[in-house]
Amino acid sequence: MKQIHYKQNAGFLTLALRLVIGWTYFSALWRRTVLTDKLNPDLPGYIGEKFNHFLPHALGIKPIIQYLVEHPDALWINMLIFTIIEGLVGLFIILGLGTRLMSFGVFFLAMGILLGSGWIGTTCLDEWQIGILGIATGFTLFLTGSSHYSIDFWLLKKHPFLKTKKWFSWLGSGALPIKENPFKNVVLIGSFSILAITLLTNQVFHGGLWGTLHNKSVKPNFELTEGSFSNDELSFNIYRTEGVDVYGAWVIEVSVFDAHQDQVIQFDSKDLAALLPKQIDNYYVAKATPSQHSLKVPLGSKAKIHLNHPDFKNLPKGVYTITMTDISGAQWHLEIPKD
């Protein structure tokens, strides 16, 4: 009985890995276009809003994300291109066509996921695990290429001369044209580099190596900035930086306190639910909006809120504190001087 030399068929051993990672990326295109329309900015579930969720704690690529969410047209084009690339990379990986070239696509797509959203995950380190495993998979598929049940393998059988072409080995499949010792170094250096990325991002995003283990996706958090009074108006910026990414935080109260910590003005849930569009200036694609019983603020959204009350005109000079309360009872404060 003929034995299979698995050492020369490493691409066959990674078949399950190739099929699963291929579907992981192809399914992004499938979900966003066939199952539902996630590329329409006017519909709920627009992928651009999900991308906006990455912004608060993205690592290294934060300026790129911020630029895109501040420019909706550029964001839509990039989301469309990104989705097409994901679909093509996933499909070609499943088919085993240009496997090594596509493995670079897997690697860099996974790196983007890791750096952008590796901090997100409510019950587990969800996005971090997806990103880091994608990076390791891309590297492994580059080393192995494809074997049986792939178009690369069929091309090598149909056209044996391709086995002598280095370009096909580098872009498709077959034995890599690297001698044994340098090849071992490539495997070792690549593997330990990916391990270093794993440990570094695990610590930065989650404190997974030392210190306090943290999860920024469990509780909502806000940054309040740039508060000011003008005639009968109070304005300030709110920026939601933490919490669950699949639904918003609900602001149910904004109160103003004087220097003696006496409440002078209050806006309750009905007031916030009745805010007009002109009273909310959103900076990004993910938008703070009035909901039925509160002000709803998605993860990553930043907005300037304008609250109007006739008593603001009559407040004496001094330093006031605004306190914003979420439905969970959590509160955030900002001191604002009034001249």
Side-chain angles (χ1 to χ4, degrees):
M1 185 174 70
K2 184 179 179 181
Q3 292 184 337
I4 298 177
H5 296 284
Y6 290 108
K7 187 176 180 180
Q8 283 110 31
N9 287 277
F12 183 47
L13 300 181
T14 57
L15 177 61
L17 196 65
R18 200 187 87 217
L19 296 177
V20 171
I21 200 68
W23 173 252
T24 299
Y25 287 100
F26 179 75
S27 67
L29 174 66
W30 185 259
R31 292 192 311 273
R32 296 170 196 166
T33 58
V34 177
L35 299 184
T36 186
D37 187 357
K38 290 182 175 289
L39 293 174
N40 188 335
D42 298 323
L43 294 179
Y46 171 48
I47 189 63
E49 291 190 21
K50 176 70 174 178
F51 192 71
N52 196 162
H53 297 164
F54 301 168
L55 178 61
H57 301 286
L59 182 62
I61 60 174
K62 191 171 183 177
I64 299 173
I65 296 175
Q66 182 165 350
Y67 174 84
L68 291 175
V69 297
E70 288 176 343
H71 298 82
D73 291 341
L75 175 63
W76 180 83
I77 292 172
N78 278 270
M79 291 297 96
L80 178 62
I81 293 172
F82 189 77
T83 298
I84 292 172
I85 291 173
E86 280 187 297
L88 291 177
V89 167
L91 180 62
F92 281 26
I93 284 289
I94 291 172
L95 298 176
L97 175 59
T99 303
R100 289 200 169 101
L101 177 61
M102 293 301 108
S103 73
F104 279 96
V106 170
F107 184 94
F108 286 108
L109 287 170
M111 183 67 78
I113 293 171
L114 176 67
L115 297 179
S117 60
W119 65 278
I120 294 177
T122 53
T123 59
C124 193
L125 313 186
D126 303 330
E127 301 292 339
W128 177 79
Q129 290 176 334
I130 292 170
I132 205 65
L133 290 174
I135 290 173
T137 299
F139 179 65
T140 300
L141 290 177
F142 171 76
L143 296 176
T144 66
S146 296
S147 183
H148 303 280
Y149 308 108
S150 72
I151 294 178
D152 284 346
F153 185 77
W154 177 82
L155 288 172
L156 286 169
K157 289 191 69 175
K158 187 77 172 178
H159 307 287
F161 75 91
L162 290 175
K163 294 180 181 180
T164 64
K165 303 298 181 181
K166 289 186 177 181
W167 64 265
F168 189 84
S169 298
W170 285 111
L171 301 179
S173 297
L176 276 172
I178 306 177
K179 293 182 179 179
E180 185 171 352
N181 286 335
F183 182 74
K184 288 181 179 179
N185 292 333
V186 169
V187 175
L188 286 173
I189 294 172
S191 298
F192 280 98
S193 296
I194 292 172
L195 175 61
I197 293 172
T198 301
L199 299 178
L200 173 65
T201 53
N202 190 211
Q203 176 61 29
V204 171
F205 289 139
H206 305 288
L209 297 184
W210 65 81
T212 303
L213 190 67
H214 55 266
N215 188 337
K216 294 183 174 68
S217 297
V218 175
K219 298 178 181 179
N221 188 47
F222 285 88
E223 295 178 3
L224 305 185
T225 59
E226 299 184 24
S228 65
F229 291 98
S230 178
N231 294 321
D232 67 344
E233 181 178 283
L234 165 66
S235 63
F236 57 96
N237 283 340
I238 61 171
Y239 180 28
R240 185 179 161 211
T241 59
E242 295 182 16
V244 180
D245 59 317
V246 293
Y247 54 80
W250 291 274
V251 179
I252 60 170
E253 182 181 304
V254 174
S255 297
V256 181
F257 295 85
D258 62 17
H260 303 290
Q261 293 304 303
D262 294 324
Q263 186 182 78
V264 293
I265 296 173
Q266 180 191 45
F267 297 88
D268 60 19
S269 59
K270 292 182 179 179
D271 298 322
L272 297 174
L275 288 177
L276 302 174
K278 66 180 182 179
Q279 293 179 278
I280 307 173
D281 295 329
N282 284 287
Y283 293 95
Y284 304 146
V285 172
K287 301 183 186 303
T289 56
S291 64
Q292 187 173 1
H293 301 292
S294 65
L295 175 66
K296 184 175 72 172
V297 188
L299 177 63
S301 62
K302 183 177 181 180
K304 181 171 284 292
I305 306 299
H306 304 272
L307 300 177
N308 300 96
H309 197 287
D311 288 350
F312 282 144
K313 289 182 179 180
N314 303 320
L315 291 179
K317 294 181 180 180
V319 177
Y320 293 84
T321 300
I322 61 170
T323 297
M324 189 176 77
T325 305
D326 175 74
I327 196 170
S328 67
Q331 293 184 327
W332 297 269
H333 311 279
L334 176 65
E335 289 189 350
I336 304 176
K338 186 177 188 298
D339 298 327

